[in-house]
Amino acid sequence: MPVTDTLSLSVTETLNRRRSVRAFTDRAVDPALLRDIFTAAQRAPSGGNLQPWQATVLTGEPWQAMKDAVAARIAMGREGHEPEYDIYPKGLTEPWEARRFGVGEGLYAALGIPREDKAGRLARFMENYRGFGAPVMLFLHCSRIMGPPQWSDMGMWLQSVMLLLVEAGLASCPQECWAMYGATVRRTLALDDGQILFTGLAIGYADEDAAVNQWPVPRAPLDEVIDWQGF
């Protein structure tokens, strides 16, 4: 069924419902529904209509093979890191450092994992590389010739996908953490060196009862991010 046949939410409602889901059920996702969502997302804007985004979508055995390949790199410790880029800027200052720290603490508080439980926090972090149980993983990548404007285009496509997923009753979690093992991801996807990995996107049906999907994620007040001039 096309996405346009299931319209029931306004854009505002869809934005309010979207969140980074960190616990999924094992319910399978209809590939035809995904195809409709990706077709609709092609309306996302891009400078010069370049449409720089490219994606590889995994489920079943290919998705398990990816998890196994990255797990082997993780077992190597820091020597296994193959970062595609700096996920966060070096020397992050305020207010951004406080926002990053705050969301992490809120997540662990929702899970009941105190700061001193290092093993518990690490175990929870490792769930990133299992897609939090999602049955589908999308890897977003592009040609290395693309620059910052085209990366912003990829972000607009990704946001479009995430909102369309909500509209269709699905959930997602964007995961830049996969870029820590970018070379392994690209090899497993059979991407050549001309491609760079941007992010993963876990896709599935949210486990609505999981505490990690219920805590309120804060947003900065409007006047902290908008400078009004001439109004």
Side-chain angles (χ1 to χ4, degrees):
M1 180 181 295
V3 173
T4 51
D5 287 350
T6 63
L7 287 174
S8 60
L9 301 174
S10 69
V11 175
T12 300
E13 290 169 331
T14 306
L15 275 166
N16 285 333
R17 291 192 185 192
R18 193 218 65 80
R19 67 176 292 144
S20 294
V21 165
R22 291 180 171 87
F24 292 85
T25 72
D26 60 2
R27 179 181 172 187
V29 179
D30 182 356
L33 179 57
L34 289 177
R35 180 172 289 274
D36 287 339
I37 287 169
F38 298 142
T39 298
Q42 284 299 103
R43 297 303 305 169
S46 61
N49 199 32
L50 294 188
Q51 304 167 68
W53 48 81
Q54 294 176 266
T56 304
V57 187
L58 308 181
T59 194
E61 291 183 6
W63 175 208
Q64 185 60 53
M66 178 64 73
K67 288 183 279 190
D68 292 344
V70 171
R73 295 296 300 188
I74 293 172
M76 297 169 63
R78 289 189 176 274
E79 292 184 3
H81 289 180
E82 306 164 300
E84 295 282 82
Y85 55 86
D86 292 328
I87 294 176
Y88 300 105
K90 290 182 171 65
L92 194 64
T93 58
E94 299 301 339
W96 306 288
E97 178 62 19
R99 292 175 188 166
R100 180 187 175 194
F101 178 81
V103 75
E105 289 303 300
L107 185 152
Y108 288 120
L111 292 167
I113 305 175
R115 173 175 285 276
E116 58 271 19
D117 185 0
K118 303 298 185 183
R121 289 192 171 203
L122 178 60
R124 180 60 205 182
F125 178 77
M126 294 305 296
E127 286 298 312
N128 278 282
Y129 297 103
R130 301 181 187 97
F132 304 111
V136 176
M137 177 61 68
L138 177 152
F139 288 103
L140 182 58
H141 46 91
C142 71
S143 169
R144 288 186 186 274
I145 70 171
M146 300 300 173
Q150 288 75 51
W151 280 59
S152 72
D153 294 341
M154 283 198 291
M156 288 189 282
W157 181 85
L158 191 68
Q159 172 81 327
S160 299
V161 169
M162 290 189 288
L163 295 180
L164 288 162
L165 288 166
V166 171
E167 180 188 84
L170 289 154
S172 65
C173 184
Q175 295 185 276
E176 291 170 318
C177 65
W178 292 94
M180 287 296 298
Y181 301 95
T184 292
V185 172
R186 287 186 281 104
R187 283 194 299 270
T188 307
L189 297 179
L191 299 177
D192 62 42
D193 290 339
Q195 291 282 303
I196 185 169
L197 175 68
F198 173 24
T199 188
L201 183 72
I203 298 172
Y205 291 92
D207 180 350
E208 302 291 354
D209 295 327
V212 74
N213 290 336
Q214 297 175 2
W215 66 285
V217 181
R219 289 295 187 265
L222 193 62
D223 287 340
E224 189 175 314
V225 297
I226 302 293
D227 178 18
W228 302 92
Q229 298 187 9
F231 288 88

